Amino acid sequence: PPWGGGGGGEDTKEYRCKLWFEGSLQAIEGVLSVTSDSKTDLKAGEVAPYTFNCESKYKTKLPYAVTVYKDSGPYFQVPVNHFAKNSTKSNLNLCILPQSTPQDSTQKLRESLIFHSLVEVDGLRLYSGGISTSLLDTVNKLRGVRMDISVTPWNVPVELTAEVVTSLVTKDCYYQSRDRFEHFAVLSSNQVLMPLGKKSLKESFLAMKPNVLSNGPNQIPVKRFCSEYPSDKKSKNFAISLSILESTLYNKQLSEGSSISVHNLGNVTGEASGNVGEFLSVNEYGDCDRYDFSETDKTAGYQADALRFAKDLLQLFDKYN
């Protein structure tokens, strides 16, 4: 079972692990291996992501808890979750990162939930320190009707860098997805995964088979739609104000070099030769802290794919808001 955490410069060789089995009077010692998930050098005292794997000699028995400890340290249990393997996997699971700033994210998350349900995302997991009552109502209305939605509490007692948060959520999203979904991706609350030229993400992923997606992570470009640009003229006729429909101009310069990964959990045979960016786009909506933008500027790019969904999206907002 995986377990994450640790500090920069800490000697992980001091750690050991035990596994708890039903019917056993005490925990049974396991074989521990530790790998660092950090991509940068760490300073002393910094929190860093690690993966702890505790292997049991009893291959046919499933533990219900694991303890990772030092001889002189505290001794406590971490629950082990087991996921039933589905004979057929659903297409896509999205995991939404916890809010990075102390701001109300209700509207952004509601747009994300309803839009992704419209484009046929199968599963969505929210990592959150707390959600509003109205958003919880939206979650309950959508859950089981349009897609499988889960909420994972995120109440970390220490300050974590964005890299560490993304690493931890990506690792957890992988384990939550691998037995139930063919693909998964991790997004921020102000990002949506947009199908290009197709009515749904299911159609987009079907079109990318068999030679576009490779095994493991596939990079998708992120387009930054800045709120400082003028709103699309068509959006003035809509009864509800939605960033997804109002923002059709993105900044090419600020978007350059930015991407997220869609992870393929299937077994692709042969070499991938297509361009994932021709089928999918990650649209990020928000302030860019720039006030010199112009829609005629060379750095401005126009993408109005979201407007294709305007009628159905507005109807869903009226129903699930």
Side-chain angles (χ1 to χ4, degrees):
W3 185 83
E10 190 169 5
D11 185 5
T12 57
K13 294 179 181 179
E14 298 180 14
Y15 284 99
R16 297 163 64 189
C17 73
K18 289 185 178 183
L19 294 162
W20 300 80
F21 296 92
E22 183 180 356
S24 178
L25 296 178
Q26 58 185 355
I28 298 174
E29 196 78 24
V31 179
L32 182 68
S33 61
V34 183
T35 56
S36 173
D37 296 329
S38 180
K39 297 179 182 178
T40 58
D41 294 333
L42 300 171
K43 299 178 182 178
E46 283 187 336
V47 178
Y50 290 89
T51 297
F52 293 68
N53 281 300
C54 188
E55 187 175 349
S56 169
K57 60 182 179 181
Y58 300 105
K59 304 297 183 183
T60 59
K61 295 183 178 180
L62 297 176
Y64 64 84
V66 60
T67 295
V68 179
Y69 68 101
K70 294 180 181 180
D71 288 335
S72 59
Y75 198 86
F76 57 90
Q77 293 178 336
V78 176
V80 174
N81 295 321
H82 299 287
F83 304 98
K85 291 188 177 181
N86 295 357
S87 55
T88 57
K89 291 185 177 183
S90 299
N91 178 48
L92 177 64
N93 188 34
L94 293 181
C95 293
I96 308 299
L97 290 164
Q99 185 77 2
S100 59
T101 57
Q103 296 176 344
D104 178 35
S105 59
T106 297
Q107 182 60 20
K108 289 190 295 184
L109 288 173
R110 183 176 284 113
E111 285 192 35
S112 175
L113 286 170
I114 295 178
F115 175 78
H116 286 126
S117 74
L118 175 62
V119 294
E120 299 184 25
V121 169
D122 300 285
L124 192 144
R125 180 171 291 270
L126 289 175
Y127 294 78
S128 176
I131 61 177
S132 66
T133 302
S134 68
L135 183 61
L136 187 59
D137 288 341
T138 300
V139 168
N140 290 331
K141 290 176 183 178
L142 289 169
R143 179 183 283 149
V145 178
R146 297 193 63 89
M147 64 179 172
D148 180 15
I149 305 176
S150 303
V151 179
T152 298
W154 185 269
N155 298 294
V156 183
V158 294
E159 185 177 355
L160 302 177
T161 65
E163 178 198 341
V164 171
V165 172
T166 301
S167 177
L168 291 173
V169 170
T170 301
K171 181 73 71 173
D172 187 63
C173 192
Y174 163 74
Y175 283 108
Q176 299 285 350
S177 304
R178 64 176 179 173
D179 293 327
R180 299 176 55 209
F181 299 93
E182 293 182 350
H183 315 93
F184 79 91
V186 176
L187 302 177
S188 298
S189 58
N190 62 337
Q191 294 176 333
V192 300
L193 187 57
M194 181 70 63
L196 302 179
K198 301 293 182 181
K199 294 181 179 179
S200 70
L201 288 170
K202 285 186 178 180
E203 289 185 11
S204 295
F205 277 92
L206 188 62
M208 287 189 285
K209 293 181 178 179
N211 61 349
V212 176
L213 288 175
S214 61
N215 287 320
N218 295 263
Q219 298 302 309
I220 302 176
V222 174
K223 295 186 175 81
R224 292 192 63 183
F225 289 78
C226 302
S227 61
E228 291 87 352
Y229 283 121
S231 298
D232 193 279
K233 294 179 181 178
K234 295 179 182 178
S235 66
K236 295 179 180 179
N237 300 321
F238 301 146
I240 304 173
S241 174
L242 301 176
S243 299
I244 295 174
L245 300 179
E246 291 177 348
S247 296
T248 52
L249 291 169
Y250 67 94
N251 188 273
K252 298 176 184 177
Q253 198 172 49
L254 296 178
S255 304
E256 189 174 349
S258 182
S259 65
I260 66 103
S261 297
V262 167
H263 299 259
N264 184 19
L265 300 173
N267 186 19
V268 176
T269 57
E271 187 174 345
S273 58
N275 180 6
V276 181
E278 294 178 0
F279 298 86
L280 301 172
S281 168
V282 174
N283 292 3
E284 181 176 310
Y285 301 93
D287 299 336
C288 293
D289 298 323
R290 297 276 294 273
Y291 301 96
D292 55 348
F293 288 151
S294 169
E295 55 189 315
T296 59
D297 197 310
K298 291 182 179 180
T299 61
Y302 180 74
Q303 180 185 300
D305 285 81
L307 292 177
R308 296 183 290 128
F309 304 101
K311 181 180 178 180
D312 293 332
L313 187 60
L314 292 170
Q315 288 178 349
L316 285 182
F317 258 87
D318 187 54
K319 183 176 182 179
Y320 293 108
N321 193 356

